Amino acid sequence: IAPHLARYSAHVRTESLFILLSTVALLFFHQGIEAGIVNRFFYGGLVSGFAYLVRPESIGFLAIVPITLAVRCWVQHHRGFRWFFGACLLLLVGFLLPAAPFIYYLSLAAGQWGTVSRKAGVTLFISLQESGLLEALEPGSIPNLGSLTMIEFISNYPTLYMKKVALDLLPSVGIFFEALYYAYVPFLLVGLWLAVRRRFWEREDLLLAVFILFYIVGFAL
């Protein structure tokens, strides 16, 4: 059905395992949202925590699921704040069980509490170089940029970071399409068009829509 995805199984890379774990996590979260089964958020968090050990992008579930839950709780008024808070707490606990030891290790290694990725700072540095934003700065105005963690850079240079995000927001859509594989882009666009024709916040596949839109923006961030 998806030769581009099947090809990953022939490579010693992380995509195949990450896609598997992310899909299982999405299934658990979907069951929890639609059926109101709270323990599914713990299982989904646990699986997404293991997915984080494969690729740090999985930390996005900590934003994707609460956003979807907030919308659904607003639509389905019988699920109040206690249910929302309990589901988010179980998600966080499940995620941290496998992920917290590695986050703690990275924080010690980087000397910055809350470091969640080895490559985020380096990727940001390369992106800033390619964007040309660093050329407008005086030499030496940002010392040791390559050694800064992403958290340190954002906190110290928020304006420069926001410029970088603004420049990368539209190109990130193309990057997402390239990662998806261009042959599947028409089907994605048709699916999104059909989804937004009516009140998409009431659809059962709202979680998938939030998942896709989050990572399109996530490439820029």
Side-chain angles (χ1 to χ4, degrees):
I1 296 176
H4 187 67
L5 296 179
R7 190 178 65 184
Y8 284 137
S9 64
H11 295 263
V12 185
R13 297 175 64 177
T14 59
E15 283 86 351
S16 185
L17 180 57
F18 178 74
I19 291 170
L20 170 64
L21 294 174
S22 297
T23 304
V24 173
L26 281 169
L27 177 61
F28 279 129
F29 292 135
H30 176 74
Q31 291 176 343
I33 293 171
E34 295 302 321
I37 306 175
V38 181
N39 63 10
R40 292 295 189 273
F41 295 97
F42 173 78
Y43 298 140
L46 190 66
V47 175
S48 60
F50 283 111
Y52 164 77
L53 299 179
V54 179
R55 293 181 71 94
E57 292 89 332
S58 179
I59 203 169
F61 279 113
L62 297 183
I64 294 167
V65 176
I67 290 173
T68 307
L69 279 177
V71 174
R72 295 307 296 267
C73 286
W74 174 64
V75 173
Q76 300 173 348
H77 299 287
H78 63 281
R79 294 180 185 172
F81 176 77
R82 290 184 60 185
W83 187 87
F84 171 82
F85 179 78
C88 291
L89 181 61
L90 285 175
L91 160 64
L92 181 62
V93 171
F95 180 87
L96 289 178
L97 279 177
F102 187 60
I103 293 175
Y104 177 71
Y105 161 74
L106 286 180
S107 299
L108 291 179
Q112 176 73 38
W113 173 249
T115 301
V116 297
S117 172
R118 288 182 180 273
K119 66 179 182 179
V122 177
T123 303
L124 176 61
F125 176 60
I126 295 173
S127 177
L128 286 167
Q129 284 184 318
E130 293 178 348
S131 68
L133 290 173
L134 298 181
E135 297 176 1
L137 301 175
E138 296 181 3
S141 60
I142 302 182
N144 301 320
L145 179 59
S147 63
L148 288 177
T149 65
M150 191 168 182
I151 297 174
E152 289 174 333
F153 180 84
I154 295 173
S155 60
N156 293 332
Y157 309 98
T159 303
L160 186 61
Y161 178 72
M162 291 308 298
K163 288 181 180 179
K164 179 263 178 194
V165 173
L167 288 174
D168 286 352
L169 193 56
L170 286 179
S172 70
V173 177
I175 295 174
F176 182 87
F177 287 166
E178 182 180 354
L180 176 69
Y181 196 58
Y182 292 120
Y184 300 118
V185 171
F187 299 98
L188 173 64
L189 295 179
V190 170
L192 290 175
W193 178 72
L194 292 174
V196 300
R197 290 178 64 190
R198 59 188 180 93
R199 294 188 290 184
F200 64 91
W201 54 87
E202 295 181 350
R203 292 177 58 94
E204 292 185 356
D205 53 4
L206 174 65
L207 178 63
L208 293 178
V210 175
F211 181 82
I212 291 171
L213 294 176
F214 178 87
Y215 281 109
I216 288 178
V217 177
F219 276 112
L221 297 176

